[in-house]
Amino acid sequence: MQEPEEPAEQTQVADSPGPRDRRPMDSLFAAPPMVEQERMVEAILFASAEPVTIKELGERMPHGCDPAEALAHLRKRYEGRGVQVVRVGDAWAFRTAGDLGYLMQRETVEVRKLSRAAVETLAIIAYHQPVTRAEIEEIRGVAVSRGTVDQLIEMDWIRFGRRRMTPGRPVTFVVTQNFLDHFGLESARDLPGLAELRAAGLLDNRPSPIGGPNEEDDADALEAGEGQSELFED
Amino acid sequence: MQEPEEPAEQTQVADSPGPRDRRPMDSLFAAPPMVEQERMVEAILFASAEPVTIKELGERMPHGCDPAEALAHLRKRYEGRGVQVVRVGDAWAFRTAGDLGYLMQRETVEVRKLSRAAVETLAIIAYHQPVTRAEIEEIRGVAVSRGTVDQLIEMDWIRFGRRRMTPGRPVTFVVTQNFLDHFGLESARDLPGLAELRAAGLLDNRPSPIGGPNEEDDADALEAGEGQSELFED
Amino acid sequence: MADDEPELPLSVADRVAAEALVVDVEGFEGPLDLLLNMARTQKVDLRQISVLELARQYLSFVEKAKALRIELAADYLVMAAWLAFLKSRLLLPPDPTEEGPSGEDLAAHLAFQLERLQAMREAAARLMARDRLGKDFFARGIPEGMERVRKVVYTATLLDLMQGYARIRTKDEFRPFVMDRDKVFTMEQALERMRGMIGFAGSWTDISSYMPEGWTEDPVMWRSATAATFAASLQLAKEGRLEMRQAATFAPIELRQKKDAGQGAGQTSGGVLRVAPEAPRREGQD
């Protein structure tokens, strides 16, 4: 019985060329033609159930490729087709066209029904992100249960964002790429009615004039004014 | 990422009309245009967790559709694309185009030191080329495993030289240009002799009890000089 | 129940609503939720609701709940107190000497909170009504996962190569470094050897005749054997087994068995060591 860490000799596989060897282009040569790059992006996006970022595409494609341009071509090619190239945050994925959902009953994934508290909390996080727990509670006027947040995190719809630079450095919540994917949103900017809500001032975290029922949140609320606007900075 | 959401509980979402309600065509009406049928097949094949038969396609598409024809169109459309509509048994599925398979592989490169057996074999070939396997074994005093030679060939550090014009016409090994490049040598003749190694402090300076390995080495070098010239002929 | 509210005549619908509230207090997610629900009964844009009216509604709700001995959570009561305060602010003419926000400011903020909560609920509903992944649109059913290919790259340096070659060509000398013991004659070995031989040394003999065979050619071995033999001699002299003498500096050292040796430890002091006073140990050192 030999140790598995036996010398290189035996372990070396000699009978199949490494995958790289089949790669048609070498980095020394010019990048593949755009049509070919488009095929590559097509293959990669098709293969993955998860959205893939431009960066990831670039890492997987031969050197010198322009995944962004190839993607733009691909997107155009699939316009109006049964599957679409959709943007999910800063990533891309193939998804079936929304109007054909009725054909896919068999594939329907049953989504756990969320409680009203969870749905509202999710919406508040999406529209006000990054948002602290205290801010969520101020908006809903009721304490947010631990279970609600846990459930949303577990579903990978929300995650922790940066800490707020206010006393106590409270943690903030933001929505995830998976959230965008699930709801077919290109970005959090595309949330339905976001512009109207902002125009109506309903996304402002207006500080309560002293003595409001939620005074403990004032500190946060003041600073939170930036709210969703932060989203547009980065 | 759908998996985590699907847990038991009471599930089915209630907040939108049942999928059937959105079915645009009723069996009473004419079948959708072929382009539309093609979209349907595209979406179904894409979303299905396993290959789909024509029969299943027919069952899922509106009444009056011709899934076989739609599939034929779709196949044609994907010809030469990054993904292909392929037949799996009597069913159909999307698959990555064969030539792009390498994109689906993520390589983890692990750098390992060449085994001692391989280093020694390589060294003998470099110093004595062209050299037969029997000669290598004689010099090393142990049998040379097939794996070692294969490994060195695969690394493109050695290759077959001319056959020796002796009984059995044994094949010889020589080092490659790639070998010279890797080790930064102009030619195999530039390999230092033992005396030089010792002078450079690269070897233990202990005197040898039996004879001088140095002289022996020089003799080799002399004899090898002529052998190695073969390297540059072809 | 609603009829003991003379100053605020309620419509039938309002009364039904109010009753429903009392019965169904558990169904509300806190005071703000309840207030929002009450505000809706005003059937106006939330921006135009009468906060005063709302405060009255809420306070009467709390009164009724108390009358019905329904336990209200603390925050319902905190809200009631705050609304009572707000109501007084709104009803009394503003006192110019008083600090702090006016009743109108407070009322406006409450209206804002209600409007915002309402907006978030609508947004949530719109969100949940969107086409959703796995329900209305779908990801690839047979994802082709990334295959992990482990590629091992072997490497060697020129030094490895040369050392490898040297290893073969100098197979006999090339070995891992260990302390060389084969040219060392230990004192234990010397003692053992001399214990066996000393019994036969009746007369003075040169110490060199006790040197082990084969250890006199190689200078390294010779040095080691000499030192060990000399040290062993000293040990035996100390034990009273032999006598040593040296005629002069650098003169040969001679040994002989001590006559009454072998009588055990009691004799230790009987050992005789006669040496020249100056540097006797030179012999052994070298």
Side-chain angles (χ1 to χ4, degrees), chain A residues 67-165:
Chain A
E69 195 193 332
L71 186 73
H73 288 294
L74 190 70
R75 241 193 143 183
K76 200 158 210 111
R77 186 184 290 273
Y78 276 89
E79 259 167 29
R81 301 279 299 280
V83 291
Q84 307 273 291
V85 180
V86 300
R87 185 189 184 126
V88 182
D90 58 354
W92 300 80
F94 270 111
R95 297 288 180 252
T96 60
D99 65 316
L100 298 176
Y102 69 94
L103 292 169
M104 248 64 74
Q105 270 174 313
R106 220 166 295 184
E107 278 72 42
T108 300
V109 177
E110 299 194 338
V111 179
R112 190 197 309 190
K113 183 139 177 74
L114 289 176
S115 67
R116 182 172 135 186
V119 169
E120 280 182 25
T121 302
L122 179 65
I124 291 168
I125 292 169
Y127 283 84
H128 289 260
Q129 67 173 339
V131 65
T132 67
R133 178 187 290 259
E135 287 157 8
I136 299 169
E137 294 183 343
E138 208 230 305
I139 295 168
R140 294 199 64 227
V142 66
V144 174
S145 86
R146 195 165 181 86
T148 302
V149 172
D150 287 351
Q151 184 185 17
L152 293 173
I153 288 175
E154 197 199 326
M155 294 173 86
D156 194 16
W157 279 357
I158 65 166
R159 63 177 176 82
F160 294 112
R162 281 187 220 147
R163 284 186 182 278
R164 186 64 58 71
M165 288 303 153

Side-chain angles (χ1 to χ4, degrees), chain B residues 91-109:
Chain B
W92 299 84
F94 275 113
R95 287 279 186 268
T96 305
D99 65 318
L100 296 178
Y102 68 92
L103 292 172
M104 302 304 131
Q105 293 166 333
R106 180 164 296 157
E107 258 175 38
T108 50
V109 177

Side-chain angles (χ1 to χ4, degrees), chain A residues 44 50-61 67 91, chain B residues 106:
Chain A
I44 294 171
E50 305 291 319
V52 182
T53 63
I54 299 274
K55 185 163 166 282
E56 286 164 342
L57 285 173
E59 282 163 5
R60 289 172 62 176
M61 291 164 74
Chain B
R106 180 164 296 157

Side-chain angles (χ1 to χ4, degrees), chain B residues 189-203 214 217-218:
Chain B
R189 265 172 289 200
D190 293 337
L191 279 169
L194 291 195
E196 289 162 290
L197 295 182
R198 211 168 255 130
L202 295 176
L203 292 180
N214 306 1
D217 187 51
D218 292 343

Side-chain angles (χ1 to χ4, degrees), chain A residues 19 31 70-71 105 132 189-190 194 211 229:
Chain A
L71 186 73
Q105 270 174 313
T132 67
R189 264 166 271 199
D190 300 315
L194 185 68
S229 61

